[in-house]
Amino acid sequence: MLKLYKQQWHQIALQDVGEVKFDEPLSRHNSWKIGGSADIFVEPETVDQVVNIVRTINLQAIPLVVIGQGTNLLFDDSGIRGLVMKIGERMANVEISGNSVSAEGGTWVPKLSRLTMQAGLSGLEHCIGIPGTVGGLVMMNGGSQRRGIGENVINVTVVDNLGQVHHLSQEECEFSYRHSALQGTGRIVVSVELNCPKADGRDVRREMLADLQARRNKFPHKQPSCGSVFLSTAEMHASVGPPGKIIEDSGLKGLRIGQAEVSRQHANFIINLGDATAKDVLTLIRQIRATVREQIGFELDCEVRYVSPDGCIYPAHLKAEDSV
Ligand SMILES: Cc1cc2nc3c(=O)[nH]c(=O)nc-3n(C[C@H](O)[C@H](O)[C@H](O)COP(=O)(O)OP(=O)(O)OC[C@H]3O[C@@H](n4cnc5c(N)ncnc54)[C@H](O)[C@@H]3O)c2cc1C
């Protein structure tokens, strides 16, 4: 299997690509704190560096995985035989002008929400407690209270898999519930322009504080997790109820495999008790799905994405059923 070494990388990366690390533990780069190492790990600071990385790996056919803060990802225990590009703190500038908010892809969503509140703008109240980057949020059309960031998008700037830059309108992104047309295309979100209407900053603040308080009461926050593991849709709510409730009703709260446990506080969270492995989590996902299928006759699908050693990203239940 492909294993890239320092010397080999220096021979092929002739252009400026930002800081490069080798054999970087991925457990440092996701909120579950799980996963093996990435052969190569790069954190670009500019769009030019992103373009240079894409062109370099294309020349060598090296698998590429783009991540933000890894708050929706489960990395394999054997890591990634390729290059992980993190669009994070180093690409996180924000500019606000009137109702328009421009944020680089690595911007931390709670910080972005706070900046809009301080500027007397609304629209991101539901995002205040989401611990990811705006690039990841746009990719997933993430949000809360049944809303998605796509509602506020004016346009998204991406680098495609040939290293070319494009500006995509809201329509072109085709946002729907926890989905965007960017998924699976290899496009890298380098910045986002949002429309945030004027509002009274005090009302926005009140709403954000209420959201944070509700999250603190509802969700586990001491142990590592990846937020909601299973997808929750309006149709599901209408027919069988939210995933947390049906997992709890199936008697699965506290179920443990290795060091992975169904949270006793919120059953749609799987927490890492210490040294959980991806295998523990996948086995638990499979067991939860089998029990819910048997007791309620419903197929739970994952919101969390699994990342394979060759750099493919797909809903974690597909991996759980496949190979544990
Ligand atoms: C405690 C907790 C609470 C959460 N609550 C919510 C919630 O209320 N609502 C919600 O929607 N989510 C929630 N999440 C999940 C997660 O925070 C969001 O999905 C978030 O938007 C992911 O951002 P990220 O930067 O961590 O992306 P990652 O997890 O790193 O990546 C997610 C996907 O986006 C892709 N990606 C990331 N950045 C880029 C980029 N710049 N360009 C191209 N592709 C990219 C990755 O390849 C991957 O496919 C929660 C997670 C936790 C741990």
Side-chain angles (χ1 to χ4, degrees):
M1 202 183 268
L2 176 78
K3 180 94 181 159
L4 289 153
Y5 295 99
K6 209 168 181 169
Q7 196 182 359
Q8 195 184 345
W9 173 256
H10 285 311
Q11 279 163 8
I12 57 179
L14 298 175
Q15 290 169 306
D16 174 25
V17 295
E19 192 194 350
V20 181
K21 293 176 183 163
F22 302 91
D23 279 329
E24 174 71 1
L26 289 166
S27 53
R28 293 182 185 157
H29 301 285
N30 69 90
S31 55
W32 248 328
K33 303 195 184 307
I34 288 175
S37 311
D39 282 359
I40 308 176
F41 186 90
V42 195
E43 282 187 74
E45 293 176 26
T46 64
V47 177
D48 283 349
Q49 288 179 346
V50 173
V51 168
N52 289 341
I53 293 165
V54 171
R55 292 190 174 153
T56 304
I57 59 158
N58 277 351
L59 286 175
Q60 302 296 321
I62 298 169
L64 168 68
V65 174
V66 180
I67 66 167
Q69 292 294 341
T71 57
N72 206 38
L73 295 176
L74 178 64
F75 292 107
D76 194 272
D77 294 319
S78 58
I80 291 176
R81 304 288 71 79
L83 183 146
V84 172
M85 184 196 307
K86 177 172 178 176
I87 306 285
E89 299 83 351
R90 297 181 188 198
M91 281 187 77
N93 288 322
V94 177
E95 280 175 26
I96 299 181
S97 167
N99 290 0
S100 158
V101 178
S102 298
E104 285 191 308
T107 307
W108 176 243
V109 171
K111 180 184 162 199
L112 181 63
S113 306
R114 248 191 333 270
L115 289 174
T116 58
M117 178 261 286
Q118 285 160 0
L121 299 176
S122 67
L124 302 191
E125 293 86 337
H126 66 107
C127 298
I128 184 72
I130 303 179
T133 64
V134 75
L137 196 70
V138 165
M139 204 63 174
M140 306 297 299
N141 191 20
S144 69
Q145 302 157 22
R146 314 224 63 75
R147 298 180 60 188
I149 186 71
E151 296 167 23
N152 295 82
V153 165
I154 300 173
N155 62 61
V156 179
T157 303
V158 297
V159 173
D160 70 15
N161 51 14
L162 298 174
Q164 280 166 347
V165 177
H166 304 269
H167 304 284
L168 305 175
S169 66
Q170 185 191 48
E171 291 69 35
E172 286 171 305
C173 293
E174 293 176 26
F175 292 109
S176 59
Y177 190 71
R178 300 297 172 257
H179 184 267
S180 77
L182 303 170
Q183 288 172 11
T185 61
R187 287 169 169 165
I188 301 161
V189 177
V190 288
S191 64
V192 179
E193 187 185 357
L194 303 170
N195 176 33
C196 295
K198 285 250 173 295
D200 184 331
R202 285 167 303 184
D203 291 341
V204 176
R205 183 167 184 274
R206 213 169 294 124
E207 220 175 297
M208 287 183 176
L209 288 175
D211 183 272
L212 288 174
Q213 189 57 49
R215 280 173 181 270
R216 234 168 265 135
N217 296 339
K218 226 171 21 172
F219 300 145
H221 50 272
K222 291 207 173 109
Q223 298 100 337
S225 81
C226 230
S228 298
V229 172
F230 295 101
L231 203 58
S232 160
T233 64
E235 302 76 55
M236 182 181 179
H237 276 240
S239 57
V240 288
K245 182 176 180 304
I246 63 178
I247 295 168
E248 184 175 348
D249 290 349
S250 302
L252 296 170
K253 263 190 169 176
L255 178 68
R256 190 186 291 185
I257 303 283
Q259 291 279 293
E261 184 179 274
V262 177
S263 165
R264 293 163 199 272
Q265 196 175 346
H266 194 295
N268 198 17
F269 278 52
I270 291 177
I271 53 173
N272 177 357
L273 297 171
D275 295 319
T277 61
K279 192 171 177 208
D280 293 340
V281 173
L282 291 167
T283 309
L284 195 50
I285 287 174
R286 192 170 61 173
Q287 209 153 315
I288 294 167
R289 293 186 85 231
T291 308
V292 167
R293 188 185 302 124
E294 202 180 286
Q295 298 204 3
I296 299 179
F298 188 84
E299 284 296 334
L300 285 169
D301 286 347
C302 279
E303 182 169 330
V304 164
R305 302 290 204 264
Y306 163 79
V307 191
S308 72
D310 58 356
C312 296
I313 301 181
Y314 47 92
H317 64 274
L318 300 178
K319 175 66 183 172
E321 296 302 334
D322 182 37
S323 70
V324 183

